[in-house]
Amino acid sequence: MNHIQLNQQKVSTIVLGLMRIADQTADETKALLDAALAEGINMIDLADIYGDGRCEENIGKLFAACPGLRDQFFVQSKCGINIKGTAFDGSRFTYFDFSKEHILASVDDILRRLHTDHIDSLLLHRPDVLMEPDEIAEAFALLHRQGKVGCFGVSNQNPTQMEMLRKSVGFPLTANQLQLSCAFTPMIDAGLNVNMENRASIVHEGGVWEYCRLHDIAIQAWSVLQHGYFQGVFLNSEKYPRLNDTLIAMAGRKSGEYGHKVSPTAVAMAWILRLPHRMQAVIGTTRPSRLHEAAVGADIVLTRQEWYEIYTAAGNRLP
Ligand SMILES: NC(=O)c1ccc[n+]([C@@H]2O[C@H](COP(=O)([O-])OP(=O)(O)OC[C@H]3O[C@@H](n4cnc5c(N)ncnc54)[C@H](OP(=O)(O)O)[C@@H]3O)[C@@H](O)[C@H]2O)c1
């Protein structure tokens, strides 16, 4: 397993995302965590809203029941999406909330659910247009002083939003968590299509990929096996015949090269981690066997040609 540094801690490039464990039994979740550790995966990713808090509660019960388990992981969670609003007609209303009050209350709730006194990283989940960077800075400073949060980052933010935060916040932003997979690449398409008139040349996120590289902000790819916005898994999908043929062929070739089984899932992870930056792939499987397949990908290095072959097999054209 390869590693990068986050806040001076060595964390695995494959991260176990725990968004989909709300309905798991304790034994199933424990098996998943054990499988992660066995693969050298020492970082987990959560958010206060996953399963309305049940995902964190499941992990918290295990942390409480298994002494030492908490400290084997670099624990990251997110806040900033407020799902507890009530609309004028009494219906439930979700909105984005980076207020100091919401951030502080969210972290206390996260710590309570996780049965821990600190998390290693906190990300702001989705940009709040009404954000006041000075207020966020106050919240971060207090959480750090209290020892509740080790480091801070963002998710789904563009460079200008990060610049606004960095002006006020006295800590480096350690990571930006962004959607990226072989079949979802808006953040790199524009950089390959500079000064073109095609759709791929549209700069969707203000050059976030280049910005994070320039400012040494780790990129954590989410939905690493999905296409579109939660439209499903591209592996074995009829919508991506050439991509699947390419991944299968490359998995076979890499199996021969490395002398052990390399699956298409592993190649899809290797494709993300081949990007020359401090990259992490957050995989959301609930199955230990798939976690193993993904972990294999952390140690597979794709050639430049292989990387571009996968990119174009997903339907992208090079200018
Ligand atoms: N920051 C954000 O805004 C944001 C948004 C979304 C997610 N995230 C984070 O990213 C993590 C990963 O997201 P994700 O769960 O969408 O990622 P994912 O790893 O792309 O998707 C996981 C899902 O794909 C299924 N799957 C995997 N391989 C498959 C195959 N070969 N055939 C059929 N199904 C397959 C898994 O089923 P099995 O469980 O059966 O393997 C699981 O339901 C989340 O847990 C969360 O931590 C962050």
Side-chain angles (χ1 to χ4, degrees):
M1 177 57 60
N2 283 329
H3 297 88
I4 62 163
Q5 297 272 337
L6 276 188
N7 197 27
Q8 271 110 51
Q9 284 178 262
K10 214 173 138 189
V11 292
S12 49
T13 51
I14 300 286
V15 177
L16 174 58
L18 294 166
M19 180 179 75
R20 300 178 189 265
I21 61 157
D23 298 322
Q24 278 195 328
T25 65
D27 285 348
E28 285 167 340
T29 308
K30 180 68 168 51
L32 196 59
L33 293 186
D34 286 345
L37 291 172
E39 298 296 342
I41 296 170
N42 69 344
M43 176 164 170
I44 54 175
D45 181 69
L46 287 151
D48 54 356
I49 59 165
Y50 292 164
D52 280 0
R54 281 183 297 139
C55 296
E56 288 182 338
E57 276 169 10
N58 286 357
I59 296 297
K61 281 179 196 154
L62 290 174
F63 283 171
C66 311
L69 186 61
R70 155 69 187 91
D71 293 335
Q72 294 188 69
F73 287 102
F74 184 97
V75 178
Q76 174 171 278
S77 191
K78 313 181 204 77
C79 70
I81 302 180
N82 194 332
I83 56 172
K84 294 192 178 135
T86 308
F88 73 95
D89 58 359
S91 61
R92 197 167 138 164
F93 187 72
T94 294
Y95 59 101
F96 304 133
D97 190 346
F98 285 4
S99 65
K100 179 180 174 185
E101 187 189 22
H102 182 72
I103 294 171
L104 295 178
S106 302
V107 170
D108 283 340
D109 287 343
I110 289 168
L111 297 180
R112 179 180 47 74
R113 283 191 291 269
L114 287 175
H115 286 279
T116 184
D117 60 359
H118 74 285
I119 51 172
D120 301 290
S121 168
L122 177 75
L123 306 185
L124 296 175
H125 207 156
R126 279 227 169 248
D128 170 14
V129 154
L130 305 182
M131 73 169 105
E132 299 283 0
D134 288 346
E135 225 186 303
I136 296 168
E138 282 175 29
F140 282 6
L142 185 59
L143 290 168
H144 196 259
R145 211 165 44 242
Q146 292 172 330
K148 293 178 178 174
V149 178
C151 65
F152 302 90
V154 297
S155 180
N156 309 307
Q157 288 206 7
N158 68 30
T160 316
Q161 290 161 335
M162 285 188 278
E163 278 289 302
M164 276 199 297
L165 278 183
R166 290 173 72 221
K167 202 169 149 225
S168 297
V169 171
F171 301 97
L173 296 178
T174 48
N176 190 358
Q177 194 170 105
L178 295 155
Q179 185 176 5
L180 175 70
S181 75
C182 303
F184 189 90
T185 54
M187 81 161 123
I188 51 178
D189 295 339
L192 280 164
N193 289 272
V194 175
N195 202 28
M196 304 283 290
E197 290 181 327
N198 57 6
R199 201 168 160 272
S201 69
I202 297 167
V203 181
H204 284 270
E205 295 91 0
V208 71
W209 155 244
E210 290 84 357
Y211 180 90
C212 288
R213 287 192 75 184
L214 266 175
H215 295 280
D216 200 26
I217 297 167
I219 293 184
Q220 300 175 348
W222 61 262
S223 280
V224 286
L225 295 173
Q226 312 284 317
H227 61 91
Y229 185 68
F230 295 110
Q231 281 175 29
V233 175
F234 59 77
L235 292 172
N236 303 318
S237 162
E238 288 171 359
K239 290 185 182 156
Y240 291 91
R242 188 162 177 86
L243 176 59
N244 277 289
D245 288 349
T246 306
L247 291 173
I248 290 166
M250 232 169 259
R253 187 195 305 163
K254 290 295 180 191
S255 297
E257 208 177 291
Y258 282 83
H260 58 73
K261 185 167 167 39
V262 176
S263 67
T265 297
V267 176
M269 297 304 106
W271 184 85
I272 288 169
L273 298 176
R274 175 65 177 80
L275 287 162
H277 181 51
R278 296 196 305 123
M279 298 296 299
Q280 291 179 293
V282 187
I283 183 143
T285 185
T286 55
R287 300 185 197 199
S289 58
R290 286 208 176 118
L291 202 52
H292 169 71
E293 286 182 31
V296 166
D299 299 316
I300 303 297
V301 180
L302 299 182
T303 65
R304 207 174 222 98
Q305 178 177 324
E306 287 167 340
W307 189 90
Y308 277 102
E309 258 187 87
I310 293 172
Y311 181 73
T312 52
N316 297 299
R317 294 176 69 165
L318 298 179

